[in-house]
Amino acid sequence: MEDTATPASAQEQVASPRRAPTQQRSRERVERMLAAASALIAEQGSDAMRMGEVAERAAVSIGSLYQFFPDKRAIVWALAERYTAESQACISSALKDVVDAEGLRQAFSELVDIYYQLFLAEPVMRDIWSGTQADKALRQLELADSRANAEFLTMVLKRLHPGADPVALETTAFLVWQMGEAAVRLAISVDRQEGDRLVAAYKRIALRELVDG
């Protein structure tokens, strides 16, 4: 029987350090706070961002900000959760109907390109990634997200290779996904031409393993 289970989200696996809003008015206020924080991070980076600046730009009191975000780290966490949820939705949509090798080749290549372009275009994503390297809890959130995304890829591999060892497929998918994240982050740390070559090389290596391996 085809495996149709949906991977648990990273948010479900790692607890958020902030209070979740329950009322519509509170949700709208939190959205303003996150939009303000995102703009400030894009302008000056999360290290330089101050809670008072977030409150001022969001047009809320500092007490209201602290009610939902006890510190700056909680804001960064919330933004990271948002990006992981969006990425999982994109990946699930791209891979859910893949049933053959050519479909996997096309969908996987497009996903890598999308991920690369997002990192090039979004300073907030780059800043959050940098923050995960020094924050153990954020690293766990990122790792849980990576495992969830790899599960979408594992489901495709199980459809393409129904007789293969499922543990081996899971290992391959997880490793390929982790290597992809590392490759993209390396690519954005060098000049654009070299970065493009690195991403293209990663796709060739990964697809040989996924499709031909």
Side-chain angles (χ1 to χ4, degrees):
M1 180 179 295
E2 181 179 325
D3 184 1
T4 57
T6 300
S9 70
Q11 295 94 313
E12 292 171 341
Q13 298 180 47
V14 184
S16 172
R18 70 184 179 92
R19 172 187 168 189
T22 57
Q23 298 180 346
Q24 178 64 26
R25 183 177 178 184
S26 295
R27 288 194 291 270
E28 291 173 355
R29 192 158 61 244
V30 166
E31 285 300 314
R32 293 205 308 274
M33 295 172 190
L34 291 176
S38 183
L40 286 166
I41 291 172
E43 292 168 10
Q44 61 192 33
S46 60
D47 287 343
M49 181 181 70
R50 298 292 178 263
M51 296 292 279
E53 292 177 309
V54 177
E56 182 178 0
R57 185 167 295 201
V60 299
S61 69
I62 190 69
S64 181
L65 177 64
Y66 278 117
Q67 181 182 7
F68 293 100
F69 300 101
D71 51 31
K72 186 167 62 174
R73 174 177 168 272
I75 294 177
V76 173
W77 185 293
L79 292 170
E81 285 183 321
R82 176 160 299 184
Y83 282 120
T84 59
E86 291 173 354
S87 69
Q88 285 186 27
C90 176
I91 293 160
S92 174
S93 176
L95 296 178
K96 66 183 177 65
D97 295 325
V98 173
V99 295
D100 56 31
E102 185 53 38
L104 175 57
R105 188 183 300 278
Q106 180 176 342
F108 183 83
S109 181
E110 289 176 355
L111 282 172
V112 173
D113 288 340
I114 289 171
Y115 190 66
Y116 181 37
Q117 292 301 320
L118 278 174
F119 263 84
L120 287 171
E122 286 286 350
V124 177
M125 286 187 68
R126 295 196 297 271
D127 190 278
I128 289 172
W129 168 72
S130 297
T132 64
Q133 310 312 299
D135 188 314
K136 184 176 180 180
L138 277 172
R139 176 58 184 155
Q140 288 301 311
L141 176 69
E142 183 188 50
L143 184 60
D145 175 55
S146 185
R147 287 190 184 279
N149 290 334
E151 286 182 36
F152 292 121
L153 184 56
T154 298
M155 290 178 188
V156 176
L157 295 179
K158 287 179 178 179
R159 290 197 289 270
L160 269 58
H161 310 287
D165 178 4
V167 175
L169 296 180
E170 290 166 5
T171 300
T172 296
F174 185 43
L175 182 57
V176 164
W177 209 271
Q178 282 285 296
M179 290 172 62
E181 292 176 355
V184 167
R185 286 159 182 174
L186 174 62
I188 65 170
S189 70
V190 298
D191 69 74
R192 180 61 187 272
Q193 287 188 333
E194 184 178 11
D196 290 351
R197 292 196 300 270
L198 288 167
V199 170
Y202 163 72
K203 288 195 291 185
R204 289 194 300 271
I205 294 168
L207 286 169
R208 278 201 299 269
E209 182 64 29
L210 294 172
V211 178
D212 306 322

